[in-house]
């Protein structure tokens, strides 16, 4: 194989890989945008409920509950009753390496919520976190309280993420939250299967979801353009040959 043919094959492989990856990411970003828009629409259309109202509703209904995290929720780490632990990693997918964050540990246990007319229990352990604040940056999920654990072990080794600064973000007892989810059971002690526990007001939850939807949509458009450019680069030589 001549050097020109090897170079041509390498270019084709690179363009094909770029089209495949950017196309897949564009679909994922588009899906994330749709999910965030749906979350914003759900939250905006629902009234903020308390325990007394939930008690008379049918299980399975989508609900938005407002209250305060009860003081007797077990503390899991420091003062957190629910939190995410993020570790740094070196992202080399772009033109230059960047330090980003990924979830190392999720601690999202069942929680008790105090409302104006009684208690509500969040009974599932797979809800997402959210907050009006964006601290720390570049994280998809976050709580209203964040803590950075600075390491004293010298330079960070990317092959050992635990040697770098660690981020913790989550909720403490006593903090005000709104919970989006579905009613699991009513009665005197209502239970909710939460999809998101948000540190803030209903309006802030709606605004946060809409902001995320916009970000994901722009990312989807950019990635779709990258995919289209890569595909054009693949088919352009074939189009040139067909004209000869």
């Amino acid at each position: 194989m001549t050097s020109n043919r090897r170079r041509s094959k390498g270019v084709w492989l690179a363009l094909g890989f770029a089209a495949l990856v950017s196309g897949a990411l564009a679909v994922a970003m588009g899906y994330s945008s749709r999910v965030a828009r749906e979350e914003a629409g759900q939250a905006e259309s629902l009234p903020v409920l308390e325990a007394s109202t939930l008690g008379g509703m049918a299980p399975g209904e989508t609900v938005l509950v407002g209250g305060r995290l009860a003081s007797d929720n077990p503390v899991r780490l420091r003062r957190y009753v629910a939190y995410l632990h993020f570790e740094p990693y070196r992202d080399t997918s772009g033109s230059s390496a960047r330090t980003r964050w990924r979830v190392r540990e999720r601690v999202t246990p069942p929680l008790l919520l105090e409302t104006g007319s009684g208690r509500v229990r969040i009974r599932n352990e797979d809800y997402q976190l959210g907050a009006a604040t964006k601290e720390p940056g570049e994280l998809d999920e976050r709580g209203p309280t964040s803590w950075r654990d600075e390491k004293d072990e010298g330079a960070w080794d990317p092959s050992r993420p635990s040697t770098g600064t660690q981020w913790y973000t989550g909720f403490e007892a006593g903090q005000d939250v709104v919970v989006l989810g579905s009613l699991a059971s009513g009665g005197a002690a209502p239970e909710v299967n939460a999809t998101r526990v948000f540190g803030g007001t209903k309006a802030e939850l709606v605004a946060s979801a809409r902001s995320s939807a916009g970000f994901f949509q722009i990312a989807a458009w950019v990635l779709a353009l990258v995919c289209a450019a890569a595909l054009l680069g693949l088919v352009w030589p074939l189009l040139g040959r067909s004209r000869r």
Side-chain angles (χ1 to χ4, degrees):
M1 183 182 294
T2 65
S3 61
N4 285 339
R5 291 185 64 184
R6 283 196 299 269
R7 189 178 302 111
S8 177
K9 184 178 180 180
V11 170
W12 273 58
L13 288 173
L15 288 173
F17 180 76
L20 180 64
V21 172
S22 58
L25 288 175
V27 171
M29 292 296 104
Y31 174 77
S32 296
S33 177
R34 180 170 66 83
V35 170
R37 283 197 306 272
E38 290 175 353
E39 182 177 87
Q42 276 188 329
E44 189 172 38
S45 67
L46 293 169
V48 180
L49 302 178
E50 296 183 354
S52 58
T53 309
L54 294 173
M57 297 174 63
E61 290 193 49
T62 302
V63 294
L64 185 66
V65 186
R68 179 171 296 176
L69 292 172
S71 59
D72 55 347
N73 281 302
V75 174
R76 308 290 173 167
L77 175 73
R78 290 172 63 88
R79 295 188 301 272
Y80 289 122
V81 297
Y83 69 92
L84 300 182
H85 173 189
F86 288 86
E87 66 181 8
Y89 75 98
R90 186 73 74 193
D91 181 4
T92 58
S93 60
S95 57
S96 59
R98 296 181 62 187
T99 300
R100 295 187 179 275
W101 302 94
R102 62 188 173 198
V103 176
R104 178 175 177 177
E105 181 184 23
R106 297 185 66 91
V107 180
T108 52
L111 295 171
L112 288 172
L113 185 65
E114 297 277 7
T115 75
S117 57
R119 285 189 162 194
V120 177
R121 182 174 182 264
I122 301 170
R123 77 175 193 180
N124 58 308
E125 301 182 28
D126 58 350
Y127 50 85
Q128 292 185 299
L129 305 186
T133 176
K134 291 188 176 181
E135 181 193 7
E138 297 188 2
L139 301 185
D140 294 332
E141 295 181 70
R142 57 195 176 270
T145 304
S146 295
W147 168 57
R148 189 166 71 172
D149 182 13
E150 300 281 3
K151 297 295 184 180
D152 300 323
E153 302 175 14
W156 172 46
D157 180 0
S159 67
R160 297 171 58 226
S162 61
T163 63
T165 296
Q166 309 291 294
W167 272 109
Y168 297 82
T169 181
F171 292 87
E172 300 175 4
Q175 289 180 327
D176 293 326
V177 297
V178 287
V179 179
L180 180 63
S182 60
L183 184 64
S185 63
E191 293 187 324
V192 171
N193 285 321
T195 56
R196 184 175 296 279
V197 178
F198 187 87
T201 65
K202 169 184 171 176
E204 288 169 331
L205 169 57
V206 172
S208 177
R210 284 180 173 163
S211 176
S212 295
F215 170 80
F216 288 132
Q217 188 60 66
I218 292 172
W221 289 336
V222 171
L223 289 164
L225 289 173
V226 172
C227 180
L231 290 173
L232 181 61
L234 282 172
V235 302
W236 189 260
L238 298 177
L239 293 175
R241 291 174 188 172
S242 65
R243 293 172 184 170
R244 293 175 184 173

